[in-house]
Amino acid sequence: MHKEELLNKINNIKVAKNNNRRAPNKPLLILYALGQLTKGKRILSYKETHDPLRKLLLEYGPPVKHDVTTEDPFVRLKNDGIWEVTPNIDHSKYFSRKTLISQNVQGGFTKEILLLFEQSPSTINEIAEVILNNHFPETYHNELLERVGLNISIRKYRKRDSEFRRKVLEAYDFSCVVCGFSAQINDSIVGVEATHIKWHQAFGPDTETNGLALCSLHHQLFDKGIITITNNYSVKVSPKASGKGTFKLLVTDFHDKKIKTPACSIYLPDIEFINWHIREVYKQYSFT
């Protein structure tokens, strides 16, 4: 298999579409498997993979009321032509976690891909870059790489509207809509960022109505689902969130407080994008 063919397969990974919800199950499994591969583990047992993959899904997947599914990605990644499973599992039949464990099911990249990795080790980095850029916001990248044990730098592939940052920051007078933080040195705005409400990776547009001006801290909290905003433009803090030090002052004290809205009402956050963030990112359930 040539590198270009592999990258094309990675770009076209089939992710589950359930009511248009995010489904990063396969992307997270691929990142985890790449991290394990750099440690010398070419074959992964489902039994040992279940717990770390489950934790990744709970942390970086959409909010769930019940437990996440690790069985499907481990078996069904085979359908994308990059993964092997032994013993072979009949996809037409129901397979449970218990079954995969009792049968000692194992998975890993195909022999062709493992050979390609040996011949061109940098391909591992390129696959990780594609996965991260296609499925996760930039605020996740370094943290995710650390979690899966990949020591690489990520290039940004997706072209963005260069005017998005300027327009969003201007709409909110260059200050965080949550805490009001604003800093400037000479002509540079420092520590305040233009944040997509509906992620660029989910094809959220580069428009003011899909943007918020957030300080670096609240940007990360927003992307991780620790905070969100509601349809009446109030801050909500996740019931799962906890912290120490100034956590109360910087996070929980803003619960139910109104955000700073733009001076011009045509730039108000679009309800459609707000609802996407609540549904797909905000950790609204206390299940762990």
Side-chain angles (χ1 to χ4, degrees):
M1 180 181 294
H2 296 294
K3 180 167 69 173
E4 292 72 22
E5 181 184 354
L6 174 57
L7 291 174
N8 183 60
K9 287 179 180 291
I10 297 295
N11 261 309
N12 292 285
I13 290 292
K14 295 179 182 132
V15 293
K17 295 286 186 183
N18 184 11
N19 296 321
N20 292 317
R21 298 212 65 189
R22 283 198 303 131
N25 307 54
K26 287 180 181 178
L28 286 171
L29 174 58
I30 292 170
L31 287 176
Y32 176 75
L34 290 174
Q36 293 300 299
L37 186 63
T38 62
K39 298 174 184 177
K41 295 184 179 179
R42 297 160 62 100
I43 303 298
L44 303 176
S45 73
Y46 171 77
K47 181 178 181 180
E48 293 178 345
T49 303
H50 162 68
D51 188 57
L53 181 57
R54 174 181 178 271
K55 289 177 180 176
L56 288 171
L57 284 165
L58 288 173
E59 183 73 16
Y60 301 103
V64 291
K65 292 181 180 179
H66 307 290
D67 207 352
V68 293
T69 299
T70 59
E71 305 95 286
D72 278 358
F74 196 89
V75 173
R76 299 192 193 281
L77 186 56
K78 179 182 178 181
N79 296 339
D80 295 281
I82 64 169
W83 190 256
E84 293 180 337
V85 175
T86 55
N88 191 34
I89 301 295
D90 186 349
H91 292 183
S92 66
K93 296 181 180 178
Y94 170 75
F95 49 90
S96 66
R97 184 176 305 167
K98 183 178 179 181
T99 299
L100 298 187
I101 293 174
S102 65
Q103 293 186 10
N104 191 29
V105 171
Q106 298 181 321
F109 294 109
T110 65
K111 294 179 180 63
E112 281 185 310
I113 293 175
L114 291 174
L115 179 60
L116 177 59
F117 289 156
E118 290 177 4
Q119 296 171 341
S120 176
S122 64
T123 305
I124 293 176
N125 296 14
E126 294 183 53
I127 290 175
E129 287 177 343
V130 171
I131 291 292
L132 289 172
N133 283 308
N134 284 357
H135 299 279
F136 303 100
E138 292 173 19
T139 50
Y140 280 32
H141 291 185
N142 289 336
E143 183 180 320
L144 250 176
L145 290 171
E146 184 177 349
R147 284 286 295 268
V148 300
L150 284 170
N151 184 23
I152 61 175
S153 298
I154 297 299
R155 295 168 291 176
K156 314 305 176 190
Y157 290 122
R158 193 182 294 272
K159 185 178 180 180
R160 302 200 175 190
D161 184 349
S162 60
E163 290 290 287
F164 175 71
R165 180 177 186 273
R166 181 187 65 79
K167 290 177 180 178
V168 171
L169 294 188
E170 283 184 354
Y172 291 97
D173 195 27
F174 306 98
S175 59
C176 177
V177 305
V178 174
C179 67
F181 175 84
S182 179
Q184 184 171 342
I185 183 166
N186 299 323
D187 294 326
S188 298
I189 303 300
V190 181
V192 182
E193 302 162 355
T195 306
H196 287 87
I197 301 171
K198 183 177 182 180
W199 293 353
H200 214 81
Q201 291 74 15
F203 304 101
D206 287 320
T207 59
E208 292 93 330
T209 58
N210 187 39
L212 292 172
L214 292 172
C215 67
S216 300
L217 171 64
H218 288 118
H219 184 178
Q220 289 196 8
L221 298 179
F222 187 76
D223 279 353
K224 284 297 293 290
I226 290 178
I227 63 172
T228 193
I229 59 172
T230 64
N231 292 349
N232 66 351
Y233 309 118
S234 295
V235 177
K236 285 292 182 184
V237 178
S238 169
K240 294 187 65 172
S242 62
K244 298 179 181 178
T246 57
F247 181 79
K248 179 178 183 297
L249 177 67
L250 297 176
V251 184
T252 54
D253 279 356
F254 290 105
H255 186 69
D256 283 339
K257 298 287 181 63
K258 294 281 189 179
I259 66 167
K260 175 183 178 178
T261 52
C264 184
S265 62
I266 64 172
Y267 298 142
L268 280 168
D270 191 299
I271 300 302
E272 175 189 345
F273 304 140
I274 291 174
N275 288 338
W276 181 90
H277 188 270
I278 293 171
R279 184 181 70 248
E280 299 297 326
V281 181
Y282 177 57
K283 303 299 185 185
Q284 55 190 299
Y285 308 114
S286 58
F287 169 80
T288 54

